[in-house]
Amino acid sequence: MSAVKSTKVLIAMDGSDPSLYAFDWYMDNIHKPDNSIIIAHVPDYKSLVKSPIISSDPALIAALMKEEEAEVDKIISKIKEKVNVVGVKCRMLRLSGDPGHAIVKASETEKVDCIVTGTRGLGTVRRTLLGSVSDYIIHHSHVPVLVCGHK
Amino acid sequence: MAHPSTILIAVDPSENSDYCVHWYLERLHREGNKVIFIHVPEYWGDMAQRISPARLDVLWKESQYKAKQLKETYTKLATDGGLSSVEFLIEEGQEPWSVIVKASKDKKVDMIVMGSRGMGTIRRTSLGSVSDSVLHHSHIPVMVVHKPKH
């Protein structure tokens, strides 16, 4: 008989509604008191500030970066608020680089047992049923992945 | 906030399914959860024109026998694991993904659990075709259970 084990879960959250839904769904249907949760956030600068930086003006670039950071802080606050409302203890990891790649790498470094992700995120392209980051995670993860589709 | 859920676990005779079911019992199962196993036996319909009726009959009987074995094995594993609500469905169909998704709706399940691969022999992709299709067509959360290589 298989003994019940406590599970380390990594929840990928970009602050989008699908990711908040995935978090809620995990808490409602999967979470067990012994489980430990890591929330992985990867700021995706491409989707935050839409304007391409063509200028070499340091002041403009600095202003744009400040704007990006403000957006990232907003998202992180949103995530923290969700976690506080639910009242569960989580560790938050802020990663950098390509979101899919960073999440899978973190799941290996942190030796998690499972990854939780929504089907889409903040990205604007809606041609596919599965967003590119979720798709990457499903195909490259070495541990089970929960893909939370929203009706 | 936590409430019991209905889980649909898709299985076939592969080692991946075996790992998947054990993983569910060890890591996901919560008391009160209702577990429904589903197995879609291999479809031999399109082979009818290419092989003899006698051979077809043998293949069909093998599939049915494997299905019965799976039912016995997993039902026992689940009830031994302390589950009180276990069901095992054997549903025929040409496209397993479609049978699985339909069952998930008919049975009003909350989540589908399945291995990342099954019995298929082609190992070029990281995700088997059935798992891939279920992921893309499911309206409910899907847990794709990758089996570790070691």
Side-chain angles (χ1 to χ4, degrees):
Chain A
M1 185 177 124
S2 354
V4 171
K5 298 175 183 164
S6 78
T7 304
K8 203 167 174 190
V9 180
L10 184 142
I11 307 180
M13 294 185 78
D14 64 355
S16 65
D17 286 343
S19 73
L20 295 172
Y21 176 81
F23 179 84
D24 279 338
W25 199 91
Y26 161 81
M27 289 304 305
D28 277 351
N29 296 276
I30 310 280
H31 186 69
K32 291 200 262 191
D34 276 347
N35 287 6
S36 64
I37 301 173
I38 297 174
I39 294 182
H41 177 67
V42 191
D44 188 8
Y45 296 107
K46 291 195 294 305
S47 59
L48 287 173
V49 179
K50 318 279 183 202
S51 56
I53 304 174
I54 333 173
S55 165
S56 56
D57 176 6
L60 176 62
I61 293 176
L64 278 171
M65 283 179 74
K66 206 160 157 216
E67 197 183 312
E68 278 179 3
E69 275 309 306
E71 283 299 311
V72 173
D73 285 340
K74 247 199 270 176
I75 290 172
I76 291 182
S77 302
K78 201 171 168 189
I79 296 172
K80 282 189 175 158
E81 197 193 307
K82 164 62 80 183
V83 172
N84 287 336
V85 160
V86 167
V88 66
K89 220 176 89 179
C90 305
R91 229 180 87 210
M92 183 122 166
L93 276 185
R94 184 177 156 169
L95 307 166
S96 60
D98 176 73
H101 184 80
I103 289 164
V104 173
K105 189 146 171 277
S107 75
E108 287 163 10
T109 313
E110 296 287 332
K111 292 190 176 43
V112 305
D113 300 302
C114 173
I115 300 175
V116 176
T117 175
T119 45
R120 325 199 56 88
L122 291 171
T124 46
V125 178
R126 296 248 175 281
R127 269 184 310 226
T128 57
L129 291 163
L130 212 60
S132 60
V133 176
S134 308
D135 195 62
Y136 183 95
I137 295 171
I138 292 158
H139 285 90
H140 292 84
S141 171
H142 294 163
V143 295
V145 181
L146 175 67
V147 183
C148 286
H150 198 355
K151 274 179 249 254
Chain B
M1 210 191 305
H3 61 82
S5 317
T6 304
I7 317 285
L8 183 72
I9 308 182
V11 296
D12 70 359
S14 68
E15 274 178 19
N16 288 284
S17 280
D18 193 59
Y19 180 82
C20 178
V21 176
H22 278 97
W23 200 85
Y24 168 79
L25 292 170
E26 286 168 3
R27 304 240 180 235
L28 294 182
H29 182 68
R30 294 198 311 197
E31 215 180 300
N33 277 4
K34 193 170 159 223
V35 170
I36 303 172
F37 290 102
I38 183 166
H39 171 61
V40 183
E42 275 185 87
Y43 178 76
W44 298 111
D46 22 320
M47 299 278 274
Q49 290 169 329
R50 283 178 277 159
I51 54 178
S52 69
R55 176 83 185 122
L56 201 61
D57 193 53
V58 167
L59 288 170
W60 187 82
K61 282 202 168 76
E62 262 176 28
S63 292
Q64 295 300 307
Y65 176 74
K66 277 189 201 156
K68 196 163 157 278
Q69 289 267 296
L70 276 181
K71 180 171 179 167
E72 278 169 21
T73 308
Y74 286 132
T75 305
K76 185 173 190 298
L77 187 64
T79 42
D80 281 355
L83 271 67
S84 50
S85 176
V86 182
E87 219 183 306
F88 195 104
L89 304 171
I90 299 173
E91 301 278 342
E92 310 274 348
Q94 200 169 348
E95 296 202 28
W97 74 260
S98 157
V99 175
I100 293 165
V101 172
K102 182 171 183 294
S104 75
K105 290 178 187 165
D106 291 346
K107 294 283 183 179
K108 295 186 174 47
V109 309
D110 299 301
M111 169 171 71
I112 299 172
V113 178
M114 60 196 306
S116 57
R117 330 194 54 89
M119 295 290 288
T121 45
I122 300 170
R123 298 250 175 280
R124 266 186 311 228
T125 57
S126 45
L127 201 64
S129 60
V130 177
S131 310
D132 195 57
S133 296
V134 169
L135 259 173
H136 283 91
H137 290 89
S138 173
H139 295 272
I140 55 170
V142 179
M143 175 74 81
V144 179
V145 181
H146 292 276
K147 182 172 177 280
K149 290 178 187 107
H150 38 87

